[in-house]
Amino acid sequence: MDDLREVLRKNQYFEEVSESRFIPEYLGLIVNGVVIYHVNWIDIVENEAIFMHKDIQTHPIVSIVLENLNSMMIITSDGIKKVF
């Protein structure tokens, strides 16, 4: 994924709160086919996306190197929507 920041900036289901932090409108994401619940925010640091939960701030729920990020979907009240 070349520029995850730009994809998330343009997506209606994410709010940019800083240059490297995005908050999903819904807490369920599907990343590379794996369901990840309770994602409160995503930090993009150098070449990595870090998925965080508000009650566990000492370590991420999941982190992935951006070059290995192939797909992301968000689980909304209207069903699953493709992010990229």
Side-chain angles (χ1 to χ4, degrees):
M1 174 89 272
D2 288 332
D3 200 349
L4 182 58
R5 285 182 188 92
E6 281 304 312
V7 169
L8 297 181
R9 279 184 189 120
K10 294 176 182 176
N11 191 286
Q12 66 180 346
Y13 298 112
F14 290 86
E15 176 187 352
E16 182 177 15
V17 293
S18 72
E19 183 179 336
S20 297
R21 181 167 287 177
F22 296 85
I23 298 175
E25 183 177 340
Y26 299 92
L27 299 180
L29 298 172
I30 303 172
V31 178
N32 288 1
V34 177
V35 177
I36 306 168
Y37 284 112
H38 306 291
V39 177
N40 292 106
W41 71 87
I42 301 169
D43 285 333
I44 302 170
V45 182
E46 296 178 20
N47 65 344
E48 185 176 18
I50 301 171
F51 299 81
M52 299 294 294
H53 184 275
K54 64 183 169 106
D55 293 333
I56 311 170
Q57 295 186 26
T58 57
H59 60 276
I61 300 170
V62 171
S63 66
I64 187 166
V65 175
L66 294 178
E67 69 182 37
N68 295 329
L69 184 57
N70 298 315
S71 67
M72 182 185 297
M73 295 178 271
I74 188 164
I75 303 168
T76 73
S77 57
D78 295 326
I80 297 171
K81 306 294 182 182
K82 184 176 181 178
V83 175
F84 69 89

